[in-house]
Amino acid sequence: MKRIRTALVGVVAAACMVTGTLSANADPDAVAEAKSELARIQQESSALDQQIIEAFDAADKATAKLKTLKADLKAQEAKVDAGITELGDAAALQMGNDSVSLAAQLLTTSDSANFLSGLSAMQAEVDRSSAGVQQLQLEQAKLETLRTEAADTKAEADKQAKAKESLKADYDEKEAEAQAIYDRLSAEEQQRLADLQAEEEAAATAAAEASAARSASASRGEDRSETASSSSSSDSTSTAAGSGRASSAVSAALSKVGSSYVFGSTGPSSFDCSGLMYWAYSQAGISLPRSSGAQYSGAGSRVSISDLKPGDLVFYYSPISHVGMYIGGGRIVHAANPRSGVTVAGLRSMPISGAVRVVG
C-alpha cells in the first residue's frame, strides 16, 4: 500500500512545504483511529499477499506436474495399446495355424517323443500367453493410476487458480478500504499520520541501538570504546559488508528498484516480495525457497537483528507474511505491494519477526 507504507511522507511533504504547520491542526483522535485501522489493514493485506504467493506457487507446481503426467499418460496408453495388439496377434496366429487344435493332435499321436515335444511347446505357449496377459494387466493398472493422478493434479491446479482470484479480490478490497481511510483525513491529519509513523520507526531504531549497547556492555564489560563500537554496528547505521555473493544479491535487488509488483512473479521485470529475494540470490548463484515462510525456515541461519549485514533477509509480521533484504544503514529493499513496487524502506517500517543470513 503505497500511501500506507511509503508515500504518506512524500505525498504530504509538498503540502507541508506550503503551509509549514499542517500537523498542528490535526485532530489527534482521528489520526490515532486512522493509524490503528491502517496498521490492521496493512497486516491483513500482507497475510493475504503471502497466501496469494503460496497459491501461485502451488498452481505452478501443479501445472508443471500435470504437464509431465500428460506425457507419461500418453506413453503409457501407447504401451497398453501395443500390448493389446501383440496379444491379439498371437491369439489370431494360434487359431489360424490349423483347424485341429494342438491339444487334439497330442491326444491322437502314438509317438511318445512327439507327444512330449508337443506338450512342451503347448506349455511354453500357455506360459508366454499367461505372462503377456499378466504384463498387460500391470501396464493397464499403471495407466489407471496415472489417469487418477492426472485428474487429481488438474483438480488441484484448478483449485489454486480459483484461490488466486479469490485472494486477489480480497486483497483489492483491503487496498480500497485503506485508501478510503486515508482519503477521509484532512491534509493536516495526513501529515500528522506520516509524522507519527516516522517517529515510531525512529523510536524503534533508538530502542534497538540502546539494547545492542546494553548487550555489548554486559558481554564485554564496561569498556566505553567497545560499547561505542557495538553501538555503531547496530541496525540503524550498519554498513558492514556481507559476503561476496550476499553483496551481489544486494546489488541485484537494488537494480530492480522501481520495478512493478506482480503476484506470483520472480522477475526479471516484476516481482512479489519473496520473488525479489528468490531472483536476487539466483543472480548470485544461490537457490532460495519460493515463499517468505519457506525462506525463513530454510534459506539459511538465523541472525540477530542487531547483527544484520547487507544481504540478510528480514521477515515481517506474525505469522510471517513479508520479506525484505537488508542493505545497510538501517534500510531494506523489498517488493512492497502493487502500488509501491520495488522500493527502499526503513528496516523497522513494519513489525519484524526475525532475520536469516543466507550466506557468509
Side-chain angles (χ1 to χ4, degrees):
M1 299 176 185
K2 186 173 183 180
R3 292 189 173 179
I4 300 174
R5 293 182 179 170
T6 58
L8 284 173
V9 175
V11 169
V12 184
C16 188
M17 286 188 291
V18 175
T19 64
T21 57
L22 283 178
S23 63
N25 299 320
D27 179 350
D29 292 337
V31 172
E33 181 180 358
K35 181 175 176 296
S36 176
E37 291 180 13
L38 289 172
R40 170 185 59 80
I41 294 170
Q42 181 176 321
Q43 182 165 2
E44 292 172 353
S45 295
S46 184
L48 286 170
D49 185 22
Q50 177 64 16
Q51 292 176 55
I52 292 169
I53 291 171
E54 291 173 352
F56 266 93
D57 189 37
D60 288 345
K61 288 179 179 177
T63 300
K65 182 180 179 181
L66 184 59
K67 183 178 180 180
T68 300
L69 284 171
K70 284 181 176 179
D72 292 345
L73 189 58
K74 185 177 180 180
Q76 190 64 21
E77 286 174 340
K79 198 170 185 179
V80 169
D81 288 344
I84 292 173
T85 299
E86 183 179 350
L87 283 178
D89 290 346
L93 180 63
Q94 183 178 354
M95 293 179 64
N97 275 339
D98 201 301
S99 58
V100 181
S101 70
L102 178 59
Q105 293 180 46
L106 290 175
L107 291 174
T108 57
T109 186
S110 59
D111 189 321
S112 60
N114 286 341
F115 177 82
L116 291 174
S117 175
L119 184 62
S120 177
M122 179 177 171
Q123 185 62 47
E125 182 63 24
V126 170
D127 290 344
R128 189 178 74 83
S129 297
S130 177
V133 170
Q134 290 178 356
Q135 184 61 37
L136 180 59
Q137 289 174 334
L138 289 173
E139 298 297 346
Q140 184 67 40
K142 185 177 180 180
L143 177 60
E144 292 304 318
T145 298
L146 283 171
R147 283 174 174 164
T148 299
E149 189 175 3
D152 291 344
T153 302
K154 185 179 185 305
E156 177 64 17
D158 292 342
K159 173 185 173 183
Q160 295 300 335
K162 291 180 180 178
K164 289 190 298 184
E165 296 306 314
S166 176
L167 288 166
K168 284 171 67 177
D170 291 343
Y171 186 96
D172 289 342
E173 286 183 9
K174 293 294 178 185
E175 287 275 289
E177 183 182 358
Q179 189 65 55
I181 292 170
Y182 182 81
D183 288 343
R184 77 185 183 211
L185 297 176
S186 67
E188 291 88 349
E189 290 163 346
Q190 291 172 1
Q191 179 60 47
R192 181 55 184 155
L193 177 60
D195 291 343
L196 284 174
Q197 291 172 327
E199 289 167 8
E200 282 191 355
E201 186 174 340
T205 298
E209 289 178 348
S211 177
R214 287 194 299 270
S215 296
S217 177
S219 62
R220 300 176 182 177
E222 296 297 325
D223 188 295
R224 290 181 178 274
S225 62
E226 289 187 1
T227 301
S229 173
S230 173
S231 180
S232 67
S233 64
S234 69
D235 63 62
S236 66
T237 60
S238 174
T239 55
S243 71
R245 288 195 290 178
S247 295
S248 296
V250 169
S251 297
L254 286 173
S255 74
K256 294 303 177 179
V257 169
S259 297
S260 59
Y261 184 109
V262 175
F263 293 115
S265 180
T266 57
S269 57
S270 61
F271 307 86
D272 57 37
C273 69
S274 55
L276 178 62
M277 307 299 106
Y278 179 93
W279 178 86
Y281 265 102
S282 73
Q283 305 311 295
I286 297 174
S287 179
L288 297 185
R290 177 60 184 88
S291 69
S292 58
Q295 288 173 0
Y296 183 65
S297 60
S301 57
R302 304 289 169 82
V303 62
S304 169
I305 299 301
S306 63
D307 192 34
L308 289 176
K309 293 181 180 179
D312 292 346
L313 304 184
V314 185
F315 299 87
Y316 296 90
Y317 300 109
S318 181
I320 289 168
S321 57
H322 191 73
V323 59
M325 182 183 294
Y326 188 65
I327 60 174
R331 309 291 282 173
I332 61 166
V333 59
H334 67 147
N337 49 60
R339 292 190 180 187
S340 299
V342 179
T343 187
V344 172
L347 171 65
R348 297 182 179 277
S349 57
M350 297 164 282
I352 299 175
S353 284
V356 164
R357 182 157 297 153
V358 177
V359 61

